[in-house]
Amino acid sequence: MIDLGRARQFLKVRHDGILVTIKRDGRPQLSNILYFIDDDGRVKISVTQTRAKTHNLRRDPRASLHVQGRDRYEYLVAEGTAQFIEGDGLAEALRHYYRKARGEHPDWAEYDAAHARRAAPAALHLRRSRLRTAALGAGVVPPLLSERPGR
């Protein structure tokens, strides 16, 4: 059984990942993304309406997020379904995303204006349904490098 607390910590200390969505023809589409895991346990990212990942998730909300650790044997995959945040509450969701992933912005008015110019931005929450790692066997969260013997 996977240790959810350890998995959550693994995801919290990292912010770069690869989001995998499903193309119309069934092949995977991979996107390098910036994410954060919020206090509610959901993985959250910001997307633009015109991107392939957004089109794919609107058609099929299933997604996987691959997060690399300190070497190729240390990683975690979160699998779940996407939920878009649009309309009311979007500006606050995007600010919250930025604060969690990057910290305080030096000019929130500039940030808001930049998002207003984007092609209909949206926030995306990945409702996690499963966490897995394959490198060390399903259901096992790899130990941090500092916890491995001989390191």
Side-chain angles (χ1 to χ4, degrees), residues 1-2 6 10 12-13 15 24 44 48-49 52-53 58 63 70 72 85 94 109 111 123-124 128 144:
M1 192 82 183
I2 195 163
R6 190 175 198 143
F10 184 91
K12 272 191 172 187
V13 299
H15 296 288
R24 187 180 319 275
K44 299 183 180 179
T48 302
Q49 299 291 357
K53 63 181 159 277
R58 288 204 183 280
R70 296 179 188 151
R72 67 179 174 258
I85 305 301
L94 290 171
Y111 178 83
L124 180 123
R128 208 179 36 209
L144 299 177

Side-chain angles (χ1 to χ4, degrees), residues 13-81:
V13 299
R14 291 158 180 85
H15 296 288
D16 296 312
I18 299 170
L19 183 71
V20 182
T21 61
I22 303 167
K23 294 180 183 182
R24 187 180 319 275
D25 66 6
R27 291 181 298 139
Q29 192 269 327
L30 289 78
S31 301
N32 292 321
I33 58 136
L34 177 70
Y35 78 92
F36 77 94
I37 184 166
D38 212 348
D39 296 335
D40 62 7
R42 292 183 181 182
V43 171
K44 299 183 180 179
I45 69 171
S46 173
V47 297
T48 302
Q49 299 291 357
T50 57
R51 299 286 190 247
K53 63 181 159 277
T54 307
H55 293 298
N56 294 341
L57 290 169
R58 288 204 183 280
R59 190 182 56 262
D60 184 339
R62 294 176 297 164
S64 295
L65 174 68
H66 176 275
V67 178
Q68 186 69 43
R70 296 179 188 151
D71 65 30
R72 67 179 174 258
Y73 300 109
E74 182 183 50
Y75 67 90
L76 190 101
V77 176
E79 299 173 330
T81 56

